[in-house]
Amino acid sequence: MAIAKRNFRVLIAGGGIGGLAAALALLKRGFDVDVYEQASELREVGAGVQLSANAIRVFHELGVHEALRALACEASGKELRLWNSGQTWKLFDLGAVSVERYGFPYYTAYRPDLLAVLADGVQREKPDAIHLGARCTGFEQSARAVTLRFDGGEARGDALIGADGVHSRIRQALFGPDQAQFTGLVAWRGTIPMDRLPGHMRRLVGSNWVGPGRHVVHYPVHRGEYMNFIGVVEGRDWQVESWTERGSREECHADFDGWHDDVHRMIASIETPFIWALVGRAPMERWSAGRVSLLGDACHPTLPFLAQGAAMALEDGYILARALQAAGPDTEQGLARYEGARRERTAKVVHGSAEMARRFHNPALAESAGAQDYVNREWSEERVKSRYEWLFNYDVTAVAV
């Protein structure tokens, strides 16, 4: 691979998964990179994330796959379960099948582990690359440079990447306030020590429980020591878009009244359930202007129903580095190449994820007979392949930039 000039400096606002993946990909190509994170310590919420083969390919290319493998769980498959009876259908095999078909495994991981693996990789390349307690307040750009301002100082570079999440200050500074729309869906989340669950639930599979107006997803994380739980509910008037708002087990039990005992065992075992409103934003027509661009949730926030939010941020980071390298000293062309390579795919994921919510919550799932016919149709082998093959086969090293 050709190496970029070391004096080309990229500023990244946001030290989450996407920002750190971009930093590591850029550093490995010889760019100078500084990451500015508003938190006083580098941390992620204690939740899970699913990483399909397209995401694991990025870790492989960044040289941190083995570090992730040591902390994650390699799922053997995914299954669908009916909300009240627990009837089970196999969605698809993973494990060795994922490696055979797509080149890489499918992991379920703990978000703090994922962040630690990426941060360690960045700091091996440049020990002082990550700056904490740096809340971004704005930026200015000229034909020659961009200056990022944050509490207590400023930094000057050749390009600025806003990887600062769904409430991105960089996005708002570029394009003005956006109008996020409440989807009518509220999500519960929690992590459960695996030893609190009965033996039949301690399996290395991802499970999707589906039912009218609700669904539950759970899978093992952190070497199988925890179970990650997410429950999504229609019809609640709760519009707080935060991953750190506490709810109660009693409320969560009530939201899944009538559901299978296994679901209630998980809810009862959650130390602190958190609740957040799921909001939607239409895919942006453009997310770059001059020397500034966006990445991950800052430009294409995605509902979690295709399990591709983290994967899209990882792919963004890798493609960004390739595009800037390919464009040489022309920063604006590099950012335009990056955006052009990513816009269609990420928009398709945003729309596809929204469609999955309706599929998981269909009224046909209310009764066993209707559910059987509905699942046979909507999760037939052909339809499952059409939903996932194009996601898992994506190769960040081969996409034209």
Side-chain angles (χ1 to χ4, degrees), residues 158-360:
D158 298 280
L160 168 63
I161 306 301
D164 48 344
V166 293
H167 303 295
S168 171
R169 289 176 177 268
I170 305 301
R171 181 187 67 237
Q172 292 177 34
L174 278 177
F175 302 112
D178 65 337
Q179 298 297 318
Q181 298 296 317
F182 177 50
T183 62
L185 302 173
V186 169
W188 290 94
R189 71 167 179 85
T191 49
I192 305 161
M194 196 67 81
D195 59 12
R196 292 186 183 177
L197 297 175
H200 73 277
M201 296 182 68
R202 303 177 195 175
R203 298 181 300 132
L204 296 183
V205 298
S207 298
N208 289 15
W209 295 75
V210 293
R214 310 251 188 298
H215 80 276
V216 167
V217 178
H218 61 90
Y219 48 84
V221 297
H222 194 61
R223 298 185 292 260
E225 295 174 19
Y226 296 96
M227 182 72 79
N228 187 68
F229 172 95
I230 300 172
V232 179
V233 181
E234 285 183 9
R236 285 193 55 148
D237 187 20
W238 177 272
Q239 300 189 30
V240 181
E241 189 189 8
S242 169
W243 276 46
T244 57
E245 191 74 20
R246 293 168 182 259
S248 71
R249 287 191 294 269
E250 290 74 21
E251 289 178 282
C252 193
H253 280 301
D255 274 346
F256 291 93
D257 184 41
W259 280 55
H260 194 275
D261 284 348
D262 282 357
V263 172
H264 287 283
R265 284 191 187 100
M266 286 186 286
I267 294 170
S269 300
I270 297 171
E271 191 68 37
T272 303
F274 294 90
I275 183 171
W276 86 100
L278 298 178
V279 300
R281 292 173 172 84
M284 299 178 71
E285 294 182 4
R286 56 188 285 257
W287 62 67
S288 302
R291 294 176 173 272
V292 184
S293 191
L294 304 172
L295 178 153
D297 283 349
C299 51
H300 46 76
T302 305
L303 295 175
F305 308 135
L306 279 176
Q308 288 292 312
M312 291 304 101
L314 291 160
E315 290 178 3
D316 281 355
Y318 196 86
I319 296 296
L320 169 70
R322 286 187 55 215
L324 285 175
Q325 184 180 46
D330 191 336
T331 304
E332 292 191 28
Q333 184 195 91
L335 296 180
R337 287 186 180 202
Y338 152 66
E339 183 181 325
R342 297 296 297 159
R343 190 188 302 111
E344 181 178 348
R345 177 170 171 83
T346 55
K348 189 175 178 180
V349 170
V350 170
H351 291 308
S353 297
E355 289 170 5
M356 285 302 292
R358 293 187 286 273
R359 192 168 285 117
F360 287 152

Side-chain angles (χ1 to χ4, degrees), residues 26 270 290 323 401:
L26 287 160
I270 297 171
V401 295

